[in-house]
Amino acid sequence: MLLHHVQVSMPRGGEDVARRFYRDGLGLVEIDKPPPLDQRGGCWFQVLDAGVEVAQLHVGVEEPFVLAARAHPGLLVGSVAELKSAARRIVDLGFEVSWEERDTLSGFVRFHARDGAGNRVEVLARA
């Protein structure tokens, strides 16, 4: 069994800020939603490994929007240098990054960030 996608929620109209975070900040590639689903709003992204899609991250409209307190996707990058670069891009775009749990997961270095809707996102690299 393989993971196909993870979905996080956003309020209606949050597509531009989602694109800034996931595309511009994390470097994910936006993909078109299928025609029957594109009327719902939101946006979808590919999670790539060496140019090959390994999963998708869907940002979907939820009405009423309710922020999940702890649920989050965990995105693995290739190196600690890539991790630090992603954190810098996210901060430069005006999003919050926390390194508070940087070394609390054995074998990994990580940070947590909040996307424009407030969703928690973990980004990690092998130590």
Side-chain angles (χ1 to χ4, degrees):
M1 185 178 306
L2 298 172
L3 178 67
H4 180 268
H5 71 272
V6 171
Q7 180 162 318
V8 297
S9 298
M10 68 173 191
R12 184 160 303 284
E15 289 85 359
D16 288 343
V17 72
R19 288 181 179 105
R20 280 187 39 243
F21 183 84
Y22 292 102
R23 182 192 63 207
D24 302 341
L26 290 178
L28 302 183
V29 176
E30 186 171 2
I31 57 175
D32 293 331
K33 292 178 65 174
L37 302 177
D38 65 356
Q39 302 302 314
R40 298 179 184 177
C43 41
W44 291 7
F45 302 91
Q46 289 178 317
V47 179
L48 301 172
D49 181 20
V52 176
E53 181 181 288
V54 294
Q56 296 178 6
L57 190 140
H58 298 177
V59 186
V61 173
E62 184 174 344
E63 293 180 310
F65 174 70
V66 178
L67 181 63
R70 302 252 333 136
H72 64 278
L75 301 170
L76 181 67
V77 298
S79 68
V80 173
E82 189 177 344
L83 181 72
K84 291 177 180 178
S85 178
R88 276 192 303 277
R89 285 193 311 273
I90 291 168
V91 168
D92 288 348
L93 289 167
F95 297 99
E96 177 184 327
V97 168
S98 171
W99 290 93
E100 185 176 315
E101 296 184 51
R102 181 186 193 282
D103 300 310
T104 58
L105 183 60
S106 181
F108 294 91
V109 176
R110 63 188 180 154
F111 69 81
H112 289 88
R114 296 279 176 180
D115 71 7
N119 293 301
R120 185 174 190 231
V121 176
E122 179 179 343
V123 185
L124 61 164
R126 296 190 193 286

